Amino acid sequence: MGLSRSRFASALLVSTQANPHHLPTSSAALPCVHCVCGVPCARVRVEQGLGGMTGAALLGRADFVAAASPWRRRLGGNPFTSMPFALSCRAAYETHAGSFEARWHKLRTLAPQLSRTAASHGGSLRFVPAEPQCCQAHCYIRGSAEQLDAARDEVLAELDIKLYNKLRACGVGPGKDECYFEITVGPNNIEIPDDVFVHAWSCFFEALQKAESS
């Protein structure tokens, strides 16, 4: 992002913790840039992947950011002071800013490998966006929540690797037969070799195949 300390704190202080325009967010990685009402802007969440308390930085034209600020009060995100959040987020940003690009490239490398692994076992693992724009993406996978969670837990018991925390929604996707979860390359797992991820997901789809055939 290249923000100075003062500019980063200022951006956090005027940012909206709600998301009135339903902006896609970067989840504390490279900022996702979009156009809202024809205005280029970026929104960076700082609690995911960075370790900040909570909140987001809304970056864009001064008049656009000023127009977004009242939505904090309208949607209930109006603390007495935002300074503790700003300080926490700034410290987290300064700690991890140097790893953003490497984490992004890590996920871009992993995404096609994991999708191919799923296909080789007759399964499906679909990334949205197909080519990750930051170090987090949504993953869509076919199957029931019960079967998917059971396969995840089997891999956890066998390899001590938890592939995802929780499913965000089920019955979604073009065929309404997918569940999705969030995948993030954070500061603690960027050093894990790609083949560890691939092997764990291979075990997952093997477990899923057994469950579906039984």
Side-chain angles (χ1 to χ4, degrees):
M1 284 166 46
L3 290 177
S4 66
R5 290 187 179 189
S6 59
R7 288 184 62 201
F8 184 66
S10 298
L12 285 166
L13 288 171
V14 301
S15 70
T16 172
Q17 293 185 19
N19 194 359
H21 296 292
H22 305 288
L23 294 177
T25 63
S26 72
S27 298
L30 299 176
C32 289
V33 179
H34 301 274
C35 281
V36 177
C37 302
V39 180
C41 60
R43 184 173 185 266
V44 183
R45 293 177 63 182
V46 291
E47 78 276 14
Q48 294 185 349
L50 274 180
M53 290 171 62
T54 187
L58 178 63
L59 311 176
R61 214 170 59 196
D63 59 340
F64 177 80
V65 173
S69 184
W71 282 95
R72 282 192 303 185
R73 181 182 295 275
R74 291 170 184 167
L75 298 179
N78 188 45
F80 178 75
T81 175
S82 297
M83 186 57 69
F85 301 98
L87 293 176
S88 171
C89 295
R90 187 183 72 184
Y93 170 77
E94 291 177 344
T95 299
H96 299 296
S99 69
F100 289 169
E101 187 169 2
R103 289 156 58 187
W104 172 38
H105 285 297
K106 176 77 168 180
L107 187 55
R108 289 180 67 186
T109 300
L110 278 174
Q113 294 184 72
L114 300 185
S115 294
R116 287 195 299 268
T117 298
S120 70
H121 291 280
S124 172
L125 185 61
R126 183 169 60 88
F127 282 74
V128 176
E131 183 176 306
Q133 299 175 4
C134 59
C135 68
Q136 185 184 67
H138 287 174
C139 289
Y140 288 75
I141 184 170
R142 285 199 305 268
S144 69
E146 294 77 12
Q147 289 178 330
L148 297 177
D149 284 348
R152 175 204 61 187
D153 293 344
E154 187 172 327
V155 173
L156 178 61
E158 180 180 346
L159 302 179
D160 197 27
I161 296 175
K162 192 172 187 179
L163 294 174
Y164 61 85
N165 286 323
K166 67 177 181 179
L167 298 171
R168 298 286 178 171
C170 290
V172 295
K176 305 298 182 184
D177 59 350
E178 295 175 309
C179 298
Y180 90 90
F181 60 91
E182 294 178 347
I183 184 170
T184 303
V185 175
N188 296 325
N189 59 8
I190 187 174
E191 300 299 333
I192 299 175
D194 290 3
D195 58 359
V196 173
F197 286 93
V198 171
H199 176 63
W201 277 104
S202 180
C203 292
F204 173 89
F205 283 105
E206 288 175 2
L208 195 59
Q209 277 184 317
K210 291 178 183 177
E212 291 174 344
S213 61
S214 62

